[in-house]
Amino acid sequence: MRIKVKSRITVFILSFITYFIITQIGKFDWQELVVGIVISFITAIVAGDILIMEKRKFKFSRIFYTICYIVRLLWEIIKANFHVAYLVIHPNLPIKPGIVKIKTNLKTDAGLTMLANSITLTPGTMTVDINKEKGEMYIHWIDVKTTDVDEATEAIGGRFEKIIKEIFE
Amino acid sequence: MSNIIGYILICIGLAFDFFGVLGLVRLPDVYNRLQAATKCVTFGTAGILAGVFVMEGYSVMGLKPIICLIFILLTAPVSAHVISRAAHRAKIKLADETIVDKYEEDKELLDKEDN
């Protein structure tokens, strides 16, 4: 019960900040502010209980790992873009696509979501489906190097798995 | 100075948007096209938005692109994942170059678990 209230308050504050930045900066208007409060309240009531699912302690090391993760992700996104640009302008279109299976040790929903999103934004790979009970993910790989499960896990998920484990679990 | 940096960022973004669209035309099937669409178009649009932010600074026009940028980076991979999963469930064929499809092999097992 308490965790749901906490989650709703967080959603209210976040959506109100977003609304405030979009409408209020530069021109301050009471009417729009009231509408923003009402709409944030409705959002918090309707969809507020899914943001925070479980309790956990605050750790300073998590901030450090989050910064590492963002830098790593940006670097991988830039690499991914040059990879796709190279594939697209190459006259022979050197692709070897396929769907491979990888294993993951993550358990929480947030961790799995972030891992799937990171895999989609990194070079040549895209998450198709997750089997949460078995801890398996199906990845579409544009340039398949190996079909073995363990080697594919090392090549695709290994870049992010450790760092996401530190942040979300 | 900030104008020049902004224009450079917008040009980079436009170039990658162009590569993404070219990929949509050239690559063979839904899944490969989604790869081009999510990666290049996400990064290209992020580049354009970052360019607008650099040119406008912390003002009315400048902070909205930052919010759009965060939302694009969070939602584009999710939509790609949903589209590819739906396409596979609707039995859309993979391209002829495809060499392995582990998802098809495990599909009956997954369906059994869902029911």
Side-chain angles (χ1 to χ4, degrees):
Chain A
M1 186 60 210
R2 255 191 69 74
I3 199 100
K4 278 194 175 176
V5 175
K6 221 174 175 180
S7 172
R8 290 216 157 93
I9 293 170
T10 315
V11 169
F12 177 78
I13 293 169
L14 280 179
S15 46
F16 184 68
I17 289 173
T18 311
Y19 185 88
F20 193 86
I21 292 175
I22 288 176
T23 59
Q24 296 292 304
I25 285 183
K27 54 173 171 62
F28 190 77
D29 188 3
W30 277 108
Q31 289 179 353
E32 286 193 17
L33 199 68
V34 171
V35 172
I37 289 172
V38 169
I39 290 184
S40 307
F41 192 70
I42 293 172
T43 315
I45 293 293
V46 173
D49 54 344
I50 53 173
L51 184 68
I52 303 173
M53 301 294 266
E54 61 236 25
K55 214 175 208 166
R56 35 177 221 170
K57 287 205 182 93
F58 180 79
K59 272 195 256 170
F60 273 108
S61 65
R62 225 170 246 149
I63 298 173
F64 170 71
Y65 280 112
T66 309
I67 294 168
C68 282
Y69 169 72
I70 291 171
V71 171
R72 192 82 203 264
L73 185 69
L74 282 176
W75 175 237
E76 295 288 340
I77 288 175
I78 292 168
K79 254 168 49 187
N81 278 281
F82 280 103
H83 180 246
V84 173
Y86 164 75
L87 286 182
V88 166
I89 54 178
H90 197 287
N92 295 332
L93 219 61
I95 59 170
K96 205 166 74 172
I99 296 179
V100 298
K101 184 160 82 175
I102 69 167
K103 278 192 163 35
T104 171
N105 294 319
L106 300 172
K107 290 281 180 288
T108 57
D109 283 341
L112 282 170
T113 311
M114 287 317 284
L115 182 62
N117 281 4
S118 314
I119 285 173
T120 300
L121 286 173
T122 49
T125 52
M126 179 176 73
T127 313
V128 176
D129 204 353
I130 298 178
N131 187 349
K132 199 186 163 193
E133 284 81 30
K134 287 188 185 165
E136 292 168 345
M137 297 168 101
Y138 298 91
I139 311 287
H140 183 269
W141 203 353
I142 207 167
D143 185 19
V144 177
K145 293 190 182 69
T146 166
T147 57
D148 185 66
V149 174
D150 292 326
E151 283 175 31
T153 305
E154 190 51 44
I156 297 171
R159 281 181 286 218
F160 287 113
E161 180 142 1
K162 274 180 215 132
I163 208 163
I164 287 176
K165 206 179 178 82
E166 295 287 341
I167 298 172
F168 285 102
E169 290 183 9
Chain B
M1 188 61 201
S2 66
N3 261 358
I4 298 171
I5 298 173
Y7 280 125
I8 289 172
L9 280 172
I10 290 177
C11 286
I12 293 172
L14 281 174
F16 279 107
D17 264 356
F18 172 74
F19 287 131
V21 175
L22 197 67
L24 275 181
V25 178
R26 284 203 70 197
L27 290 169
D29 65 353
V30 182
Y31 311 96
N32 292 316
R33 283 176 181 168
L34 271 176
Q35 296 248 12
T38 46
K39 295 194 180 83
C40 278
V41 176
T42 306
F43 185 67
T45 314
I48 294 173
L49 290 171
V52 173
F53 170 69
V54 169
M55 281 166 74
E56 296 289 334
Y58 295 95
S59 65
V60 189
M61 278 282 286
L63 285 166
K64 285 172 194 172
I66 292 298
I67 292 179
C68 296
L69 207 157
I70 294 169
F71 282 132
I72 280 185
L73 282 180
L74 282 177
T75 54
V78 179
S79 59
H81 155 64
V82 171
I83 294 170
S84 63
R85 185 170 181 273
H88 207 291
R89 298 234 150 186
K91 297 190 175 58
I92 291 175
K93 287 221 165 52
L94 281 87
D96 297 333
E97 295 96 328
T98 306
I99 57 166
V100 58
D101 189 356
K102 285 267 172 65
Y103 191 39
E104 186 69 41
E105 291 163 19
D106 292 356
K107 208 176 194 178
E108 287 172 18
L109 212 116
L110 288 172
D111 284 343
K112 223 175 272 170
E113 277 169 16
D114 284 353
N115 301 326

